[in-house]
């Protein structure tokens, strides 16, 4: 996953995802996305053989169900602006990242010439590049992308394939994602006498217990069920503690326990997970928690703190305006009509006072650190746009892809869908700052390169075994788990015990 994210699973946009748009439109979009995802997932097993033909000038882009409407909207804009050079046809992929990967892989293995552009989860780059399924980005476009985009998102699209002399760009960042700490300043002020956000996990746990003892909500909302969200949580903690799953310069080398320093980092990450999972007043369903349950926990008032992707901001704003978030109902009542008018959504300038009001009751802060003297590293999610090697129109596909990932496109994805842009200049735009108040925090996290998940052609196997070993998160001893995890990652690299 990339995750991440929109409701309810997330690493794409992870890992990534669409978030929510203003007003009642958001509810219809979520319903439509879910229905499309179910239909596409049901159809995936039928894609054993794919069409070998293609229509000249028609560029097919395949994108996940989450955020699909915004991709489709931009596809039409690009088509209109192409002067007849191409027409972009948007095709929906399933909601689940695993199902997206499976459908793309089946089409590629079937030599489907109708597939031109693929919206790729950021963790798939190495696997698809090594398989020869992606076309490297042309040098002139690659130079432009590397100059204009933030370091973290660009790094997720880089790989050194079997035939490459050095690392190169295999996809163009479309949107990115990173997690923040979301918290209740009003609740903290009432129960603790201070609304200062905790900076470390130890402080977060201590503040939560103090709020609990004062009669407030006691749950910390995270993503801990057996899926990519659990890998995201573990990897963010591990990287924040100074460790890594694999050697960045040698993806065949496991670094969870190879040195005393690496072992200590892995142990500390696991100790934090264990502390959250077993804390007094913890989320009773933590072993089944994902992005959606974390959002709901915060909005229903059972939590003062939530670790999640930026989609939760638009969700809280919309649901607060409709009265579904109790602690935001009265503050947002003056703006309810404006926020729920789907035919005339608020402008950036109109959102500014709404966002400032929101921040008094629902605010954001940097991802918590593991140690006070070490910077926190939050997972990088999002989507990269790649040209399929099976495409018969690769040059035209890159031209269309450039439009789908342009500054105008990424601004629309961010403001309408909640997914952070990868182009650095967007974060300096005054109008964007009004509509997207958490932009500065997100940019800082991405400028620092964030917690990139291990780059490996075997990433899917690594994630599968790590999450299977860590679940359920409240049932193991951190000391013994260090070596067990290292063993499972080595098995993944060696290709043992994994169903393709």
């Amino acid at each position: 996953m990339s995750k991440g994210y929109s409701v309810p699973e997330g690493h794409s946009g992870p890992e990534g995802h669409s978030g929510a748009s203003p007003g009642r439109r958001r509810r219809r979009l979520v319903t439509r996305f879910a229905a499309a995802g179910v239909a596409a997932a049901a159809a995936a097993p039928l894609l054993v053989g794919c069409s070998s033909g293609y229509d000249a000038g028609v560029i097919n882009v395949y994108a996940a169900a989450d955020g699909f409407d915004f991709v489709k909207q931009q596809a039409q804009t690009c088509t209109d602006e192409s002067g007849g050079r191409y027409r972009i046809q948007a095709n929906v992929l399933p909601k689940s990242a695993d199902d997206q990967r499976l459908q793309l892989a089946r089409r590629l293995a079937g030599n489907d010439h109708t597939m031109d552009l693929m919206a790729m989860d950021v963790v798939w780059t190495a696997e698809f590049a090594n398989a020869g399924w992606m076309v490297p980005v042309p040098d002139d476009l690659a130079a432009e992308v590397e100059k204009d985009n933030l370091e973290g998102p660009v790094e997720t699209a880089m790989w050194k394939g079997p035939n490459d002399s050095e690392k190169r760009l295999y996809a163009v960042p479309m949107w990115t994602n990173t997690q923040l700490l979301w918290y209740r300043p009003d609740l903290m002020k009432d129960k603790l006498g201070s609304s200062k956000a905790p900076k470390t996990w130890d402080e977060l746990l201590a503040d939560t217990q103090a709020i609990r003892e004062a009669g407030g909500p006691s749950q910390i909302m995270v993503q801990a069920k057996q899926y990519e969200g659990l890998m995201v949580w573990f990897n963010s903690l591990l990287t924040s503690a100074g460790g890594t799953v694999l050697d960045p310069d040698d993806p065949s080398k496991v670094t969870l326990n190879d040195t005393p320093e690496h072992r200590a980092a892995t142990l500390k990450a696991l100790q934090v997970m264990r502390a959250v999972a077993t804390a007094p007043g913890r989320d009773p369903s933590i072993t089944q928690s994902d992005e959606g349950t974390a959002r709901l926990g915060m909005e229903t008032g059972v939590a003062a703190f939530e670790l999640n992707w930026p989609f939760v901001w638009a969700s809280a704003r919309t649901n607060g305006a409709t009265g579904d978030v109790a602690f935001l109902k009265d503050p947002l009542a003056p703006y309810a009509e404006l926020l729920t008018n789907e035919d005339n959504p608020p402008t950036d300038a109109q959102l500014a006072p709404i966002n400032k009001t929101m921040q008094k009751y629902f605010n954001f802060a940097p991802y918590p650190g593991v140690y006070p003297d070490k910077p926190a590293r939050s997972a990088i999610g999002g989507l990269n746009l790649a040209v399929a090697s099976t495409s018969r129109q690769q040059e035209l596909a890159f031209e269309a892809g450039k439009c789908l990932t342009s500054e105008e496109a990424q601004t629309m994805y961010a403001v309408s869908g909640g997914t952070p842009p990868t182009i650095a200049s967007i974060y300096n735009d005054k109008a964007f700052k009004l509509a997207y108040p958490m932009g500065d925090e997100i940019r800082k996290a991405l400028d620092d390169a964030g917690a990139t998940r291990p780059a490996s052609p075997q990433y899917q196997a690594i994630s599968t075994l790590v999450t299977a070993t860590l679940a359920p998160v409240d049932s193991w001893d951190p000391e013994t788990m260090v070596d067990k995890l290292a063993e499972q990652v080595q098995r993944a690299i060696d290709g043992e015990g994994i169903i393709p």
Side-chain angles (χ1 to χ4, degrees):
M1 168 167 201
S2 61
K3 233 180 178 301
Y5 185 72
S6 96
V7 183
E9 182 180 346
H11 59 283
S12 296
E15 253 146 314
H17 288 72
S18 65
S21 55
R24 294 183 298 274
R25 179 167 174 262
R26 174 185 172 274
R27 286 188 172 81
R28 290 211 298 268
L29 285 177
V30 169
T31 302
R32 191 186 313 149
F33 290 166
V38 170
L46 302 179
L47 296 173
V48 177
C50 301
S51 172
S52 60
Y54 72 99
D55 294 327
V58 176
I59 301 298
N60 282 287
V61 58
Y62 287 79
D66 286 325
F68 179 77
D69 273 26
F70 306 119
V71 176
K72 186 176 181 180
Q73 177 181 330
Q74 183 62 27
Q76 185 60 54
T77 299
C78 294
T79 296
D80 294 342
E81 295 176 352
S82 74
R85 284 182 51 75
Y86 58 75
R87 175 173 66 85
I88 301 178
Q89 175 65 45
N91 303 277
V92 68
L93 289 170
K95 189 176 183 68
S96 159
D98 288 345
D99 289 335
Q100 294 164 30
R101 173 179 165 272
L102 179 61
Q103 186 173 134
L104 290 176
R106 282 177 166 164
R107 287 184 174 277
L108 290 160
N111 202 28
D112 184 358
H113 297 311
T114 68
M115 188 161 66
D116 302 295
L117 289 167
M118 309 176 289
M120 302 276 296
D121 193 297
V122 295
V123 297
W124 299 340
T125 303
E127 178 188 7
F128 278 56
N130 266 24
W133 290 342
M134 304 160 68
V135 179
V137 178
D139 291 343
D140 55 344
L141 178 56
E144 185 179 334
V145 169
E146 292 178 43
K147 177 176 67 73
D148 294 341
N149 289 264
L150 299 171
E151 177 186 350
V154 169
E155 184 63 27
T156 68
M158 302 284 289
W159 184 247
K160 182 180 181 297
N163 299 319
D164 298 326
S165 59
E166 60 184 13
K167 224 181 212 187
R168 63 186 305 178
L169 196 69
Y170 269 90
V172 179
M174 190 172 190
W175 62 64
T176 187
N177 230 332
T178 192
Q179 292 196 335
L180 297 173
L181 172 66
W182 306 86
Y183 67 102
R184 294 270 310 276
D186 60 327
L187 183 63
M188 293 182 68
K189 185 71 173 177
D190 179 49
K191 303 298 182 183
L192 303 181
S194 170
S195 56
K196 185 179 179 182
K199 295 182 178 180
T200 67
W201 283 89
D202 286 342
E203 291 180 10
L204 175 59
L205 284 159
D207 283 353
T208 301
Q209 289 310 306
I211 291 172
R212 172 177 173 268
E213 291 168 4
S218 61
Q219 298 180 25
I220 298 174
M221 309 312 297
V222 295
Q223 295 80 52
K225 77 175 184 181
Q226 186 179 330
Y227 82 123
E228 184 64 20
L230 180 55
M231 181 68 180
V232 166
W233 186 25
F234 168 66
N235 193 70
S236 295
L237 293 172
L238 176 65
T239 312
S240 296
T244 57
V245 176
L246 302 177
D247 186 335
D249 298 319
D250 182 1
S252 67
K253 182 180 179 182
V254 180
T255 52
L256 290 169
N257 64 348
D258 62 323
T259 68
E261 293 78 14
H262 287 160
R263 173 181 284 276
T266 305
L267 177 61
K268 181 61 177 177
L270 294 170
Q271 287 172 336
V272 171
M273 297 178 78
R274 175 74 176 173
V276 173
T278 60
R282 65 193 177 279
D283 175 8
S285 301
I286 191 169
T287 60
Q288 296 300 315
S289 61
D290 60 18
E291 289 86 353
T293 61
R295 175 189 65 82
L296 284 171
M298 198 72 178
E299 291 186 4
T300 56
V302 301
F305 301 103
E306 168 190 13
L307 283 304
N308 219 329
W309 311 94
F311 82 95
V312 301
W313 178 260
S315 174
R317 187 172 60 200
T318 298
N319 292 336
T322 57
D324 294 332
V325 181
F327 62 87
L328 289 175
K329 181 179 179 180
D330 290 341
L332 293 184
Y335 310 104
E337 184 175 350
L338 179 63
L339 287 171
T340 55
N341 185 347
E342 62 186 82
D343 296 321
N344 188 26
T347 64
D348 294 344
Q350 289 173 321
L351 283 175
I354 300 174
N355 289 334
K356 285 184 179 180
T357 299
M358 281 265 294
Q359 286 179 260
K360 297 176 184 178
Y361 304 90
F362 182 63
N363 207 356
F364 48 85
Y367 197 85
V370 169
Y371 296 109
D373 59 343
K374 283 183 184 283
R377 294 283 186 260
S378 175
I380 294 179
L383 293 177
N384 299 325
L385 197 63
V387 172
S389 59
T390 58
S391 172
R392 294 289 177 85
Q393 309 176 90
Q394 294 175 4
E395 185 176 346
L396 198 60
F398 274 115
E399 181 181 336
K402 186 175 179 179
C403 182
L404 287 171
T405 58
S406 67
E407 183 171 334
E408 293 75 18
Q410 290 201 18
T411 300
M412 186 271 286
Y413 300 149
V415 175
S416 298
T419 50
T422 68
I423 297 174
S425 60
I426 297 176
Y427 289 89
N428 299 324
D429 182 80
K430 290 182 179 180
F432 179 76
K433 285 177 176 288
L434 292 175
Y436 210 73
M438 55 279 194
D440 287 343
E441 291 294 350
I442 291 172
R443 177 175 181 169
K444 183 178 184 301
L446 297 173
D447 273 338
D448 292 339
T452 305
R453 281 165 282 178
S456 167
Q458 287 80 35
Y459 177 78
Q460 198 69 26
I462 291 170
S463 176
T464 297
L465 286 180
V466 166
T467 54
T469 304
L470 290 175
V473 291
D474 58 358
S475 65
W476 38 258
D477 170 52
E479 290 281 355
T480 58
M481 180 56 74
V482 175
D483 293 326
K484 186 179 293 187
L485 273 182
E487 177 185 347
Q488 294 302 311
V489 174
Q490 189 63 60
R491 288 185 65 211
I493 291 173
D494 295 341
E496 299 176 3
I498 300 295
I499 300 174

